[in-house]
Amino acid sequence: MARRIRRRGGRKKAGVFTLMLLILMAAGVWWTLQKLPNSSYTEPDWRGLKQPILVQGELTGYSASGQGSSLMLPLALVQEYVDPYIYEDEGSETVVFTTASEVLSLSAGTLKGTRNGKEASFEQTVERVDGKLYVPAKLLKELYYTAYYEHSGTGAVLLSRAGDHLELGEAVPAGKQSFAALRQSPSIKSPILQDMPPGERLRIWGEEEQGWLKVQTDQGYTGYVPSDQVKPKGNKIYPQRIHEPSRADLEWRDRSVNLTWEAVYSRNPDPDKLGQLPGVNVVSPTWFEITSEAGDVTSKVSPDYVTWAHKLDKEVWGVLTNSFNPDITTAVLSTYDTRAALITEVIRLSRAHGLDGINIDFENVYTKDKQNLIAFMRELYPRAKELGLIVSIDVTPKSSSEMWSVFLDRRELAHAVDYMMVMSYDEHWAASPEAGSVSSLPWAERTVRRILEEDEVPASKLVLGIPLYTRIWTEEGVEGGGKVTSKAVGMEAVQSLLKEKALTPVYDELTGQNYVQYQEEQSLNKIWIEDEISLKARVELAHQYDLGGIASWSRMLGSSEAWEVLKSIHK
């Protein structure tokens, strides 16, 4: 009986031992699976593609064409990664390139094109491959300082752009290992993309997880490697192209613009009656007007006026308007050829009459023409800059008005001008439903701040528009409140009215201006006055924000007192 009991106890101990052995074996298998690195291999998704293009370690979804000096890159890729304003002219096989110094046009099928408005020959041209336009990589390198590396084995094209910051390194296998494993994800359990021998050149794209670096090999493979298996080899910054400075950079950045517009309607003013205009260093006459959808330009240039201005050491920046006609504007801006012809004509007129700059004043424009206006300015700027002409554009305060504000991309336009004049007036306009200031000081300041802060236009380029006029508002009813009408008058006319009616203005804190009201028959008249007080405040506003200067509308509406106040912009 006792022996049988001992036998059963022995079997029980054997079972426990077997169970423990199985547990230990399972633990060993688990440890092996958890700790041993994955030794399987995989390939990147793009491996079957022909000449895939990668930027900063990432696949772009585009492929190159050609090789070496004949390498071509898709236009769509270039627009997305290099410059969105390299574009195909609508309805043609022409591609237009614009930089701060050059505007080029190339057409498929010919090595002839244009450079800054002149005929030019090129080593390569644009091509259409499988229905898509491609541009020469060599030309992009010349214009935009792009760089590219081609790997003959994988076909990968690694594209770098001007200003790209590249951290370099080389592979250092761990211990006695012959290779460092480039893995698909930051884990030793991830499959291997590539075995990297000692010294394998790497581009380091950052630390993805603690202890792992995201790197890329010359083959184009992007993956992960432990940071202790990468030896840093310094940094490389691809240089930006340095363009020749414009005349504005050389002659105007250390002084303020004090411009006054000369409103020329049917005829020019008599220079002998204009006086000295102390402090004014630029006059801007409204001489050029686009009058047809073909881009015809009428000119009212007065040689005597130019001579008068230059004798007084004032520059002349001729104004080009779009006749405030949206349909003419659409037609003229719609193609590269019409834009180029317009630019050629305006530059010809400016040079023929010895002008110093061009001021663009396009208003009442369809929102759909926003991009074409940017293209026009980008094409105008390098051609004008080459000849020493200052380029400026007039913009309205930001608002929701489709035809008067929304069409203006102030951020992008700032890249294609020397100066941007913000027309900080007509807060209350001729047909305004209520009486009010033409430009209250708080409102004028907001217009400046919005453009500086929201559009990041450099303060040195922004010029504050100043009204030299006011409006006499008439509200029907002895106490006002009825139908509102107005008429614009200059500074001298207001002072004459105050004297004639023996009126004494009071300072209005809300607008920062002197204000007066008076009854006339069965109506109430109101005037927010432009005078030395308001003009001084506007100059101080320009100083406060370190603006590029001031621009007043218009010379004929000003007074001798106005010029004395405005010249303080130079202090």
Side-chain angles (χ1 to χ4, degrees), residues 243-261:
H243 295 276
E244 289 293 323
S246 68
R247 190 169 67 82
D249 295 322
L250 296 173
E251 300 180 12
W252 280 93
R253 288 298 176 240
D254 293 330
R255 56 177 175 153
S256 297
V257 171
N258 185 356
L259 175 149
T260 189
W261 281 290

Side-chain angles (χ1 to χ4, degrees), residues 80-112:
E80 183 174 346
Y81 288 94
V82 179
D83 184 354
Y85 291 104
I86 301 172
Y87 50 87
E88 178 186 4
D89 192 39
E90 186 176 350
S92 73
E93 295 277 284
T94 299
V95 176
V96 181
F97 305 79
T98 56
T99 72
S101 300
E102 294 172 292
V103 51
L104 282 70
S105 67
L106 285 83
S107 298
T110 176
L111 296 177
K112 298 290 185 181

Side-chain angles (χ1 to χ4, degrees), residues 30-48:
W30 177 86
W31 185 90
T32 300
L33 291 174
Q34 291 296 315
K35 298 300 181 180
L36 288 182
N38 189 340
S39 59
S40 66
Y41 289 82
T42 188
E43 290 186 335
D45 295 339
W46 54 262
R47 190 62 182 90

Side-chain angles (χ1 to χ4, degrees), residues 513-530:
Q513 296 171 283
N514 280 325
Y515 169 80
V516 70
Q517 66 180 41
Y518 60 95
Q519 291 179 338
E520 191 172 54
E521 297 179 350
Q522 296 299 309
S523 298
L524 180 66
N525 292 334
K526 299 178 178 180
I527 309 175
W528 284 265
I529 302 170
E530 286 299 331

